[in-house]
Amino acid sequence: MFNAILIEKDETRYRAHLTQLNESLLPEGDVTVKISYSSLNYKDGLAIRGKGPVVRQFPMIPGIDLAGTVIESQSEQYQLGQQVLLNGWGVGEKHWGGLAQIARLNSQWLIPLPSKFTAKDTMAIGTAGYTAMLAVTALEKNGVTPAKGKVLVTGANGGVGSFAIAILSKLGYEVVASTGRIEESQYLKTLGASEIIDRTELSQAGKPLQKERWAAAIDSVGSQTLANVCASTIYGGTVAACGLAQGMDFPSSVAPFILRGVTLAGIDSVMCPYSDRVAAWDRLANIIAQPLLEKISHEITLEQVIPTAEKLMTGKIRGRIIVDVNR
Ligand code: NDP
């Protein structure tokens, strides 16, 4: 038997609860992992709260991130006792995920745990930090350098936002942080933001082209915010779009793209190819130091996952949540 968060749905109700499951119920896969830590991402919050079509099959164990030790393997790539990491691939959406003590998985979804990190470190970073790294890499591929000007990060206090600020600042960029929680300005400055703006500046309908304010942006908010972010990006700049915390819509015009040559770079962490994931984690290992992880993350137990998901969805969580699934 193992402990897990289970989401069940029938005609009348949608319910997430902590329960015990028999290992015989685990889905198919060529590797079984004893999970040490998982994490709580925005998408897990949506899944647990039943908001948005995240869970595609029921019953489902949520959890898009996990790190742990291989305890059974039919794969030549992974041996018993090896430490592994997983982010995405539909795990926690259509295949049982990381908010449990055991997972059975497809070995092709795993990567070896980066040697610089512990399992807990990788869950402090999680999909959010790995996505921030993919977004920074996308800006660089489009020619964004610190000399080009400021970089805006929206959803600054969130997981993606916190890591985007920290990574950009480490790489020498001047970072503007947009937040609904101005009272957290000190935290954002310790991560490396040099300027803080109130997110209401960006969240209402605005003109198709606005004053040029930043050379690039990493946006985890979407909707009207993303439209305003693009409209305020300098000639030839790049905006990496990775989230929808304000909404899935994009009420923009083509003006920033055809009149200012702005590039909109889409970021997807879920189906991102193996080589790009490993490259992102290698870069994270070089950039991220232990004190930063302590600043950005805090730990909860499996039992605390459901109430914490509620807080995450109402914007009351700062940074990242690590889940110790064995406590
Ligand atoms: P968090 O919940 O940790 O952070 C989201 C942040 O967005 C909040 O902290 C808040 O920051 C801001 N925010 C929340 N609600 C609103 C709103 N209504 N309007 C404007 N800003 C808002 O989530 P994550 O950082 O884990 O994820 C952020 C987004 O990125 C999510 O939409 C998630 O689904 C997406 N994502 C996408 C990935 C991909 O592969 N493309 C991978 C990972 C995440 P503040 O209080 O500072 O304003």
Side-chain angles (χ1 to χ4, degrees):
M1 301 294 281
F2 65 99
N3 296 336
I5 302 291
L6 193 71
I7 302 174
E8 293 175 290
K9 186 187 173 193
D10 60 27
E11 295 78 38
T12 54
R13 69 175 180 168
Y14 189 103
R15 179 169 94 109
H17 60 115
L18 176 61
T19 188
Q20 284 212 316
L21 297 170
N22 195 302
E23 283 177 42
S24 64
L25 295 171
L26 284 167
E28 293 204 348
D30 57 349
V31 171
T32 307
V33 175
K34 181 177 185 320
I35 301 171
S36 324
Y37 292 95
S38 182
S39 86
L40 201 58
N41 289 275
Y42 190 86
K43 198 186 248 179
D44 303 317
L46 290 174
I48 289 167
R49 301 290 307 140
K51 312 252 185 224
V54 172
V55 179
R56 256 80 60 74
Q57 249 167 260
F58 296 90
M60 178 56 58
I61 296 177
I64 64 171
D65 284 332
L66 64 90
T69 308
V70 173
I71 52 169
E72 277 172 29
S73 177
Q74 274 113 50
S75 155
E76 285 180 5
Q77 250 181 307
Y78 293 100
Q79 283 75 50
L80 295 193
Q82 190 169 349
Q83 297 243 84
V84 292
L85 163 65
L86 180 140
N87 310 109
W89 290 119
V91 170
E93 300 178 54
K94 49 190 181 191
H95 187 99
W96 280 10
L99 289 167
Q101 292 176 305
I102 299 184
R104 184 161 300 134
L105 302 155
N106 180 337
S107 56
Q108 297 188 348
W109 300 334
L110 301 170
I111 64 171
L113 196 82
S115 59
K116 183 184 160 190
F117 292 132
T118 63
K120 185 174 168 182
D121 293 341
T122 61
M123 291 297 100
I125 298 168
T127 287
Y130 143 66
T131 301
M133 193 69 253
L134 293 176
V136 172
T137 304
L139 298 186
E140 291 169 340
K141 279 190 184 148
N142 283 295
V144 178
T145 61
K148 295 268 167 77
K150 298 174 184 178
V151 180
L152 172 75
V153 173
T154 62
N157 276 292
V160 175
S162 293
F163 272 102
I165 294 168
I167 294 166
L168 287 164
S169 154
K170 275 267 179 198
L171 294 174
Y173 289 89
E174 189 179 342
V175 183
V176 182
S178 165
T179 181
R181 287 179 269 176
I182 292 288
E183 66 279 11
E184 295 287 2
S185 293
Q186 196 46 43
Y187 163 74
L188 300 173
K189 285 190 173 154
T190 62
L191 296 182
S194 54
E195 189 183 333
I196 318 288
I197 64 170
D198 192 310
R199 77 183 189 202
T200 54
E201 280 187 41
L202 299 170
S203 57
Q204 309 301 318
K207 291 185 186 157
L209 277 184
Q210 299 167 29
K211 188 177 156 215
E212 293 168 83
R213 297 177 73 181
W214 29 77
I218 295 179
D219 176 63
S220 56
V221 170
S223 190
Q224 195 64 63
T225 298
L226 178 58
N228 287 321
V229 168
C230 292
S232 308
T233 298
I234 67 167
Y235 193 93
T238 299
V239 176
C242 63
L244 43 63
Q246 185 180 5
M248 182 82 133
D249 58 330
F250 181 40
S252 180
S253 82
V254 296
F257 313 115
I258 65 169
L259 299 176
R260 283 199 186 144
V262 168
T263 298
L264 184 56
I267 307 300
D268 171 56
S269 63
V270 179
M271 303 305 288
C272 176
Y274 182 88
S275 57
D276 293 351
R277 295 172 180 255
V278 172
W281 277 99
D282 282 350
R283 287 195 79 188
L284 287 162
N286 286 325
I287 294 171
I288 304 296
Q290 193 66 39
L292 178 72
L293 298 181
E294 273 151 36
K295 203 179 294 173
I296 290 185
S297 64
H298 74 276
E299 189 180 311
I300 62 168
T301 64
L302 207 49
E303 202 172 18
Q304 291 169 311
V305 161
I306 294 169
T308 310
E310 173 80 46
K311 287 190 195 156
L312 186 72
M313 290 293 90
T314 50
K316 294 197 176 79
I317 300 287
R318 187 180 87 178
R320 292 273 306 146
I321 304 152
I322 305 167
V323 183
D324 181 346
V325 297
N326 297 302
R327 164 163 97 80

